[in-house]
């Protein structure tokens, strides 16, 4: 029996090379592949944890995406999820035989929703199995991993998307539209605050080997990515400071609180906070000569709310963010559409390059140049 917990504990990524393969004829898929909105993206969820539960529930409202496969190291989950979402046994896999997805016409893409340290190898494996890949963020543990993932997907001729759900969020996109229309005038400043008090000290998010860090990798990436899409430029330098009040809970290499500053070529400054030790932090603020925009909450599961110098934002999502995300990703993969804000692997690599620089700046106290 191969449980997901055992798989994670053993960290046997380097050993994931040869697997038993279940073969069956590559016949036409029995799943519905078209509806009134267009072709349907057939998705296998890999890693059936808490966030995958949220994604699966949201996908029940999708018009362009359907759960047709499952991958888990826990047989009980494969059974219960398979029954709940009508996924037949032949479309259920564990981490040892997941490469058999290659022969399955019922699956177009695999959504990797595992602890961060597993993303790199699993994305490369699934692309090698001939499937498009959607990966949760952060895409990898560092920029080197991210670049390898992008290169592997390109070599396989498969697309790599990343779960940047906020890139499709209506209120966020309205602020970006206003910025592009010049309604804020010359931009001067951005502030991004993201944090919460984390609970269970034994969870994988507080294990450097699995998470790759601490709050910055989990919640701070929203402030970082938000600074980029709200400002609309790529930063050219970064400074950072780390504070740790509980070295027992937040062990070496697991950041509790990091403040970081970004400088943009247009002269805009961004000041951001990432923490696992403070609640009530979910706010973006963009300031310009002629106006401002504030989103609060800005990166939570919703609903995102906001206001500008013109008053409250009237745009608000009527569907879960993950529903909107998966339908939009189906359009990207099946129709070749371009999102307003990119969600591809290259976009994720840009975040990882900056995350590497933030950790370096926090450690050295130096101002790190980017690009």
């Amino acid at each position: 029996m191969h449980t997901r917990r055992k798989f994670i504990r053993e960290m046997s990524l380097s050993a994931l090379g040869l697997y038993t393969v279940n073969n069956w004829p590559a016949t036409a898929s029995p799943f519905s592949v078209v509806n009134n909105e267009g072709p349907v993206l057939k998705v296998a969820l890999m890693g059936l944890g808490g966030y995958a539960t949220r994604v699966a529930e949201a996908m029940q409202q999708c018009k362009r995406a359907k759960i047709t496969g499952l991958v888990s190291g826990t047989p009980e989950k494969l059974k219960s999820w398979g029954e709940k979402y009508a996924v037949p046994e032949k479309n259920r896999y564990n981490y040892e035989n997941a490469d058999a997805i290659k022969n399955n016409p019922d699956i177009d893409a695999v959504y990797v929703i595992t602890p961060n340290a597993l993303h790199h190898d699993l994305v490369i494996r699934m692309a090698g199995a001939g499937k498009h890949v959607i990966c949760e963020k952060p895409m990898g543990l560092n920029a080197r991993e991210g670049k390898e993932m992008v290169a592997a997907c390109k070599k396989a001729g498969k697309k790599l998307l990343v779960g940047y759900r906020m890139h499709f969020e209506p209120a966020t996109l309205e602020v970006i539209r206003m910025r592009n229309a010049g309604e804020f005038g010359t931009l001067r400043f951005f502030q991004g605050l993201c944090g919460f008090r984390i609970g269970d000290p034994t969870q994988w998010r507080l294990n450097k080997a699995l998470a790759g860090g601490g709050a910055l990798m989990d919640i701070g990436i929203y402030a970082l990515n938000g600074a980029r899409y709200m400002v609309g430029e790529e930063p050219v330098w970064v400074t950072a400071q780390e504070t740790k009040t509980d070295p027992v809970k937040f062990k070496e290499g697991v950041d509790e609180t990091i403040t970081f500053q970004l400088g943009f070529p247009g002269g805009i400054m961004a000041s951001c906070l990432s923490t696992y030790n403070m609640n009530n932090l979910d706010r973006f603020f963009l300031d310009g000569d002629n106006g401002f925009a504030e989103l609060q909450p800005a990166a939570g599961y919703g609903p995102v709310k906001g206001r500008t110098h013109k008053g409250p934002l009237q745009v608000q999502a009527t569907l879960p963010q993950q529903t909107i995300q998966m339908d939009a990703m189906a359009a990207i993969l099946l129709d070749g559409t371009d999102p307003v804000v990119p969600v591809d692997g290259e976009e994720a690599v840009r975040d990882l390059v900056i995350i590497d620089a933030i950790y370096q700046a926090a450690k050295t106290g130096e101002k790190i140049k980017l690009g």
Side-chain angles (χ1 to χ4, degrees):
M1 286 279 187
H2 291 267
T3 66
R4 180 168 181 262
R5 185 171 292 106
K6 180 180 179 183
F7 177 76
I8 293 172
R9 182 172 63 247
E10 292 177 349
M11 283 296 290
S12 56
L13 288 175
S14 61
L16 299 177
L18 298 175
Y19 303 88
T20 59
V21 176
N22 298 322
N23 292 297
W24 57 81
T27 57
S29 168
F31 290 94
S32 174
V33 294
V34 292
N35 64 20
N36 292 335
E37 303 293 327
V40 173
L41 183 70
K42 297 168 289 183
V43 181
L45 301 182
M46 174 176 271
L48 307 182
Y51 188 67
T53 300
R54 185 178 292 273
V55 171
E57 289 299 311
M59 284 184 67
Q60 302 315 296
Q61 299 183 64
C62 283
K63 295 181 178 180
R64 299 290 309 273
K66 178 180 178 63
I67 300 171
T68 60
L70 300 168
V71 185
S72 174
T74 307
E76 295 78 11
K77 284 187 177 180
L78 287 174
K79 184 177 186 297
S80 62
W81 282 56
E83 292 172 351
K84 182 175 183 178
Y85 297 111
V87 176
E89 286 190 32
K90 73 180 185 68
N91 292 3
R92 306 174 197 170
Y93 303 85
N94 58 45
Y95 290 104
E96 292 185 336
N97 67 9
D99 299 87
I101 284 178
K102 181 174 185 177
N103 303 311
N104 194 335
D106 293 347
I107 296 168
D108 300 318
V110 178
Y111 193 165
V112 178
I113 316 177
T114 64
N116 304 339
L118 310 185
H119 292 176
H120 173 269
D121 284 26
L122 293 175
V123 165
I124 291 174
R125 280 182 62 195
M126 293 301 97
K131 303 300 178 181
H132 299 302
V133 189
I134 303 168
C135 182
E136 257 313 302
K137 58 195 176 304
M139 187 175 73
L141 297 185
N142 49 54
R144 176 189 58 78
E145 282 198 355
K147 292 173 182 177
E148 290 174 357
M149 295 160 78
V150 168
C153 290
K154 286 184 177 179
K155 182 178 180 181
K158 296 300 171 181
K159 292 183 180 180
L160 171 58
L161 304 182
V162 182
Y164 289 112
R165 55 189 166 80
M166 306 314 299
H167 292 200
F168 307 107
E169 197 284 316
T172 301
L173 291 176
E174 174 61 11
V175 172
I176 292 173
R177 184 201 66 76
M178 293 177 69
R179 182 205 70 212
N180 289 340
E183 295 185 34
F184 305 124
T186 301
L187 299 180
R188 301 294 181 183
F189 178 73
F190 171 81
Q191 181 185 54
L193 306 176
C194 292
F196 62 92
R197 290 184 65 88
I198 199 165
D200 181 9
T202 66
Q203 64 181 283
W204 70 263
R205 288 177 178 82
L206 297 177
N207 181 333
K208 179 173 169 44
L210 290 171
L216 180 62
M217 299 293 281
D218 181 37
I219 190 71
I221 192 171
Y222 289 99
L224 164 58
N225 189 252
R228 293 177 51 235
Y229 64 66
M230 293 283 277
V231 170
E233 295 181 358
E234 294 299 323
V236 293
W237 59 259
V238 60
T239 54
Q241 306 79 37
E242 181 176 1
T243 302
K244 187 173 292 190
T245 65
D246 187 347
V248 175
K249 186 174 186 178
F250 303 99
K251 296 178 174 60
E252 180 67 25
V254 179
D255 49 288
E256 174 188 325
T257 300
I258 291 182
T259 55
F260 59 94
Q261 302 78 42
L262 303 170
F264 293 86
I268 306 159
M269 275 281 297
S271 176
C272 300
L273 172 65
S274 163
T275 184
Y276 267 159
N277 198 33
M278 289 176 256
N279 285 327
N280 309 309
L281 291 176
D282 186 6
R283 177 179 181 265
F284 290 173
F285 182 78
L286 183 67
D287 194 35
D289 286 347
N290 298 338
F292 72 89
E294 179 185 46
L295 296 177
Q296 187 175 9
Y301 292 139
V304 170
K305 297 181 180 180
R307 64 189 181 99
T308 73
H309 57 287
K310 295 184 175 181
L313 285 174
Q314 301 301 317
V315 179
Q316 188 168 316
T318 58
L319 291 169
Q321 293 170 2
Q322 293 80 8
T323 305
I324 299 170
Q325 171 196 319
M326 293 308 296
D327 273 344
M329 286 186 166
I332 294 170
L333 294 175
L334 299 177
D335 306 339
T337 61
D338 291 321
V340 174
V341 185
V343 292
D344 54 27
E346 287 85 353
E347 170 75 3
V349 168
R350 295 184 189 101
D351 276 344
L352 291 170
V353 167
I354 301 169
I355 286 174
D356 287 350
I358 290 172
Y359 280 129
Q360 182 183 356
K363 183 177 180 179
T364 65
E366 297 176 353
K367 183 177 185 178
I368 308 299
K369 291 185 178 180
L370 301 168

